[in-house]
Amino acid sequence: MSDPREDEGQPGNFVADRVREDLESGTKGGRVVTRFPPEPNGYLHIGHAKSICLNFGLAALSPEGRCHLRFDDTNPEVESPEYVEAIRRDIQWLGFDWGEHEYYASDYFDQLYAWAEQLVKKGLAYVDSRPLEAIRETRGDFHRPGENSPFRDRSVEENLELLRKMKAGELEEGSAVLRAKIDMQSKDLKLRDPLMYRIKKVTHHRTGDTWSIYPMYDWAHGQSDAIEGVTYSVCSLEFVNHRPLYNWFLKALEIEQPPEQIEFGRLNLSYTVLSKRKLLQLVEEKHVAGWDDPRMPTIAGMRRRGFTPEAIRAFADRIGVSKNDGVVDVGHLEYAIREDLNETSFRKMGVLKPLELEITNWPEGKVYEAELDNIPKNDEAGTRKVPFSGRVFVEQEDFMEDAPKKWWRLAPGKEVRLRGAALVTVNEVVKNDAGEVVKLQCTWDPESEGGNAADGRKVKGTVHWVSADHAVDAEVRLYDRLFAEDDPSDLLESLNPDSLEVLTGCKLEPGIADLPPESRIQLERTGYFVTDARDHVPGEKVVLNRTIPLKDSWAKLAKKMGVRK
Ligand code: ATP
Ligand code: MG
């Protein structure tokens, strides 16, 4: 695929432009405080990565700028410390540091409650003693105004008494809520006396059983921003219609220097699901092996797949930030990881589906050390020595018995280069009773050590190989896109049945066996791989995950079938 940087009409970063303007004009006192506010109810995904890069990037625009990590932990029944830990780990791995600024909305429960009493005393909030269905029914809709609750005009004293009872756990779940008293006729549905607190007798992973009431998102979010002195509360577009309410609360509480909400278009990716609810479903129904399954678009999954933080950050940078939602071609993400790994990953040789090749004129017991580049075109990366002997494995698909004219790989009578080692010609194809090729016999040119002919004749084809006596056995997991449809809204129907193929008995260059987990390599001519974080044990068991093939086979396939990619 083409370099996406050459695409025209790329979005820039209008939020950064705004912050730069403010810094220049001194609005907001030259302060830049942003926050990333995940709810700990799932793992972070590539969409969150976009938001993380944006928020930490804005903070970096000023030397004193900072980005807070705030856990929006207001729904105890779906949240857990496991998710908190995973979120911290993933942001750190991406390369961002929130320093001492780690906060939890639950840290503010006391302050939020005190503010709620304040609004009650000002006549700006009341306890509605009806069930939620009744409240919902009388809210009206886009065409129909809402109706006032019969409890809307309770006295301040009565409201305070009921709110205190709610807090003390003296009222049943569903029997009362605290609502802001705004306007049931408002055209803005969010302003029709929105809920602030509901009763939930649930244990919270941080506050335990202290609270029987929990704040709603809109009541917690802006106020948390205000407590932390956030200047820019950057969130995705679905919050545009929350903004009037966000501002209403800050005004009602007479917050000085209130935070400002700015919305941007969230990331949607083709062939990818970015909804925590759907990702949770994939995990719970075991369509994947967990949140960090290498096919998942989670940061943990991408990490295990072999992505680098640099590639993810470069991707986020390149797609920019826009004011509307769009779908980004997943090819851009794949391009970013290929580009990074091409420059940084050490080359190794590995044969995924081995076919034995025996050199019949090889001197008995001879072992030759082929010298190969660690990273081509990068002299600093140096070279490595790879043992070569008279019995090697080559890739089954690099041999064809009845080869067409333009086949440059192994075929009877055709001279081919074993990369960096020798020139060989297949003379004999050994088959089993079923007629399958089990071994190739060939001769080599003893004057071709290093892979080039002494007389200077040109040999066009080059294949990779692994010396049979030195090979390391490995399990290789070939991952592909989790979804076969570019729009996988129909979650289970869209799953790609071939998203994982597990190969065993693969033969790899020695040395790979000693690599620690999470080492990224390129298997020459094959693809980018990473030693698995969980199952690869140095010196004992080699397990590689394929990050991505070298070439973009989907683009080719799509082109062949005449479909837009
Ligand atoms: P939900 O609210 O349904 O649990 P969520 O993905 O919005 O899912 P949050 O934990 O609330 O999860 O998200 C934290 C932050 O990440 C929010 O500020 C949100 O705007 C941002 N975010 C989430 N998804 C994306 C996305 N696809 N692109 C950009 N930002 C995103
Ligand atoms: Mg959210």
Side-chain angles (χ1 to χ4, degrees), residues 35-41 44-52 55 72 87 217 221 234-239 264-268 274-277:
R35 85 286 170 267
F36 175 66
E39 180 175 3
N41 63 347
L44 299 180
H45 54 59
I46 181 74
H48 295 117
K50 171 176 177 173
S51 172
I52 293 166
N55 278 295
D72 174 21
I87 289 168
Y217 172 86
H221 203 85
V234 182
C235 61
S236 34
L237 271 179
E238 68 267 28
F239 293 99
F264 69 98
R266 67 192 284 125
L267 172 68
N268 299 300
L274 296 182
S275 138
K276 273 198 262 182
R277 188 178 53 77

Side-chain angles (χ1 to χ4, degrees), residues 6-23:
E6 288 161 14
D7 287 1
E8 278 174 48
Q10 243 197 80
N13 185 339
F14 73 94
V15 195
D17 294 344
R18 220 336 265 297
V19 172
R20 280 195 205 95
E21 271 168 37
D22 287 354
L23 279 170

